[in-house]
Amino acid sequence: MSRGGTSIPDDEWERFLRESEAGSPGAGEEPSARARLVTRRLQEEPGRPEAWRTYVPARRRGKGWYVFGLAVAVVLLIAVFAAPGRIPGLSDGGGTADASPLAAESERPDGPPAAGGSDQEPTPAEPFRGSPAERWSDGAAGIHLPQARATGWMSEAEVARALERTRDFLVASSLDSAVLSGEKPEKAIALVNPHQTDVRAYLERAFTAPDRENDPLLLFSRFRSAEVRPVGDVVRTRGRISFREGEKGAVRVSADVTYVYPVRRASGNDDEVARVIVRRETVVNWDDPEKIVTEPGTFSIVSYKLDTTNGGCDVHDGYLHPAFRTGAASDDGRSVDPYDRSGPIEDRQREDGRCDTATRS
């Protein structure tokens, strides 16, 4: 394994191995993200934690790297849009351009939103103009919930509640206005199993001393209110939640959601609107309390992956830093479409540490 071409020290890897082998199956086992991670790397057992972090900022370009944290392994791919240009496509899944609202996304689309549409740039009155997000839903309405059914240790009604609570976490972590303004996401953190100590430790470090390995952006969207302010009160979303039975009868819930945040500079009379596009894949377990130490109404985090467009480059202070037209940098990385939801996030990982260029913002 490597981080930006640097190998993980042998003593660190051996420590991971010893800690992953220290646990044993059975009732009362505390879920360990670190141990699950190592087990996945060794055995490729389905459902083990796999935490990638991929940044693909638009309008500017920066550098990417690999980051391995204490609780998670993270891939950070930072790409920036060199200059705002024509914004193609208003349809989803590779179809013909269309201005009608999209139906809920119940499964992975087979392609990106179609090209060939608009050269209109966003304005304070129409912050989503010229992008596929024009046809997306507002806030939680864009996160599709499947029909519940009895699964694992839960009844149909309990599964339905678990799905709703998982969506509550997504709202509290990526849509709450106070959190977006930089406050600590207390409501979201309260939904995480307090006995999942390595994740709790990561969260504590992320909000007290954020750095490359311990960054709250892995799970939460936050801006510095002194730097930018939202345009309107709407965040456009598109995504879905699914579920299946996991290990030890747990109900494993997976969420794949893209959020589009329109922002302006906090100071001055500049009307330029920048869009920050954040895609998150989050997997959680609603554990059987007879088999896993947990608390009612909380879940254990299995994995989290992040792909951010125009969220900042080489900055690890726990905030998204959108770039505007002025001061744009350049690079010669490959082109990526931040609105393309047809493949998993890890498809965008790069091993050369270079930046990509967003084809639209």
Side-chain angles (χ1 to χ4, degrees), residues 61 66 79 110 116 123 126 131 137 139 152 159 230 233 274 289 305 309 315 355:
R61 300 181 186 173
Y66 289 100
D110 58 9
T123 68
E126 299 179 87
S131 80
S137 299
V159 169
D233 57 1
K305 305 174 189 177
T309 300
V315 179
C355 305

Side-chain angles (χ1 to χ4, degrees), residues 90-224:
L90 286 179
S91 71
D92 212 43
T96 304
D98 188 354
S100 61
L102 291 175
E105 181 185 281
S106 59
E107 58 185 17
R108 189 186 297 276
D110 58 9
S118 174
D119 59 359
Q120 296 178 317
E121 294 190 7
T123 68
E126 299 179 87
F128 303 101
R129 185 172 69 165
S131 80
E134 276 192 300
R135 302 180 59 203
W136 291 9
S137 299
D138 296 351
I143 305 174
H144 173 72
L145 288 183
Q147 180 67 43
R149 66 180 184 279
T151 302
W153 70 282
M154 286 184 165
S155 67
E156 178 179 326
E158 289 170 327
V159 169
R161 181 58 176 160
L163 296 175
E164 291 171 357
R165 296 279 284 179
T166 302
R167 185 167 62 180
D168 289 345
F169 174 79
L170 302 180
V171 170
S173 60
S174 300
L175 293 172
D176 183 275
S177 59
V179 174
L180 294 179
S181 297
E183 294 187 14
K184 189 175 180 179
E186 301 286 2
K187 292 180 180 178
I189 293 174
L191 290 168
V192 179
N193 180 4
H195 301 287
Q196 197 175 15
T197 55
D198 49 0
V199 172
R200 286 286 181 160
Y202 151 71
L203 292 173
E204 179 63 26
R205 289 190 299 271
F207 288 104
T208 56
D211 57 24
R212 184 177 298 183
E213 286 78 16
N214 304 290
D215 194 334
L217 294 181
L218 289 169
L219 285 171
F220 313 102
S221 294
R222 305 167 76 229
F223 296 88
R224 284 193 183 278

Side-chain angles (χ1 to χ4, degrees), residues 38-48 50:
V38 175
T39 303
R40 178 177 176 85
R41 294 293 182 261
L42 296 177
Q43 301 176 355
E44 288 298 314
E45 182 175 337
R48 293 298 186 179
E50 175 187 12

Side-chain angles (χ1 to χ4, degrees), residues 19-44:
E19 292 178 0
S20 69
E21 294 169 352
S24 60
E29 178 183 351
E30 178 183 308
S32 167
R34 186 188 309 153
R36 290 195 303 263
L37 170 63
V38 175
T39 303
R40 178 177 176 85
R41 294 293 182 261
L42 296 177
Q43 301 176 355
E44 288 298 314

Side-chain angles (χ1 to χ4, degrees), residues 291-333:
K291 298 177 180 178
I292 295 293
V293 179
T294 187
E295 295 295 329
T298 69
F299 54 72
S300 298
I301 294 179
V302 177
S303 68
Y304 36 94
K305 305 174 189 177
L306 172 68
D307 181 287
T308 301
T309 300
N310 197 27
C313 183
D314 292 357
V315 179
H316 303 284
D317 62 356
Y319 297 93
L320 294 162
H321 294 280
F324 293 83
R325 280 193 292 265
T326 57
S330 64
D331 202 341
D332 58 353

Side-chain angles (χ1 to χ4, degrees), residues 265-281:
R265 293 182 178 88
S267 60
N269 297 318
D270 189 350
D271 284 341
E272 181 185 354
V273 175
R275 287 189 288 250
V276 178
I277 306 163
V278 176
R279 181 181 173 191
R280 286 194 170 90
E281 293 178 0

Side-chain angles (χ1 to χ4, degrees), residues 8 16 22-23 52 77 81-82 115 204 279 289 314 335 361:
I8 295 179
F16 281 175
W52 297 97
L77 166 62
F81 200 64
E204 179 63 26
R279 181 181 173 191
D314 292 357
S335 296
S361 65

